[in-house]
Amino acid sequence: GKIHEIMGDGADEEIGGPERDKDDMKRQEDRHFAARKAAIEKALVRVEKDLRDRKSTPQQRKTAKRASKWLKWKSSKEEWEQAAYKDISGSEHNRTEPEPEAEAIMAEYENRTDAVMPQKGYHDLLDEAYELDKNRTEAWDALMDSLHRADHLPAAGAGNASGSGSGSAGGEGSGSG
């Protein structure tokens, strides 16, 4: 209750995970099986009482005898079903765990994938991106230097009456020539 208030409805899926879900399911199944067994036993006790009752008619005894036979069969069947269910669910209890062969298969897939699509590690990609950025920055700086040294920049700077930084830089080049 408190967890849902703090973390929302999906929070319980993350707390405890599949193991908690398996435990909850087992408790529910145990309660269900116990309730079924108790219902059959209660009915059998009632039928056995009817069989012993001296006031019952021959038809009631006949019905009680058939009911007793059927309930004993149902009880045996129920015990067999519960035992079979527990055997099956016990063998599949760890089915969320990977099969032993799964890791070898996944490693083989990884090797095949690496052979077909070799991917660099994160740090290699980061170094490559840094190097490309550094090269672009150097190329941009070189381009800007060449533009500043070009003849058309001092002419545009000479026409600049405001005396801004780029006009004065251009004026130095034109004043010396």
Side-chain angles (χ1 to χ4, degrees):
K2 196 78 157 164
I3 292 173
H4 288 288
E5 292 172 20
I6 296 171
M7 300 175 77
D9 287 336
D12 63 333
E13 294 174 7
E14 297 172 10
I15 300 172
E19 287 302 317
R20 195 216 58 231
D21 293 342
K22 286 181 193 177
D23 293 341
D24 287 348
M25 182 72 85
K26 181 161 177 23
R27 280 193 296 274
Q28 288 176 359
E29 290 165 356
D30 289 344
R31 282 194 303 264
H32 175 73
F33 287 144
R36 286 172 59 172
K37 185 176 182 179
I40 291 172
E41 287 174 357
K42 183 178 177 182
L44 194 54
V45 166
R46 173 71 183 163
V47 169
E48 294 295 327
K49 182 181 174 193
D50 287 346
L51 279 174
R52 290 188 308 270
D53 188 4
R54 296 191 189 277
K55 296 179 185 175
S56 60
T57 64
Q59 183 63 33
Q60 287 173 328
R61 278 196 199 103
K62 184 178 177 185
T63 302
K65 193 173 187 177
R66 286 178 55 205
S68 174
K69 193 175 185 181
W70 183 84
L71 284 168
K72 287 177 182 175
W73 170 84
K74 181 67 175 168
S75 178
S76 297
K77 180 179 182 246
E78 189 70 23
E79 286 178 24
W80 179 85
E81 285 179 345
Q82 288 182 22
Y85 182 82
K86 287 180 181 179
D87 285 348
I88 292 168
S89 64
S91 68
E92 294 195 4
H93 181 70
N94 291 324
R95 294 290 288 180
T96 57
E97 304 298 321
E99 295 289 330
E101 302 85 28
E103 290 196 30
I105 291 170
M106 293 306 288
E108 179 64 26
Y109 285 155
E110 188 174 343
N111 290 338
R112 288 182 185 180
T113 303
D114 288 345
V116 175
M117 295 175 43
Q119 293 187 348
K120 299 176 182 174
Y122 172 74
H123 292 290
D124 292 338
L125 290 173
L126 195 60
D127 291 343
E128 184 178 325
Y130 175 76
E131 190 64 33
L132 287 172
D133 190 48
K134 184 176 150 194
N135 292 343
R136 282 190 197 115
T137 303
E138 289 172 357
W140 177 260
D141 289 344
L143 177 65
M144 296 313 294
D145 287 345
S146 68
L147 287 176
H148 283 287
R149 286 189 301 264
D151 287 339
H152 70 278
L153 266 180
N160 188 355
S162 67
S164 70
S166 74
S168 64
E172 290 174 7
S174 62
S176 63

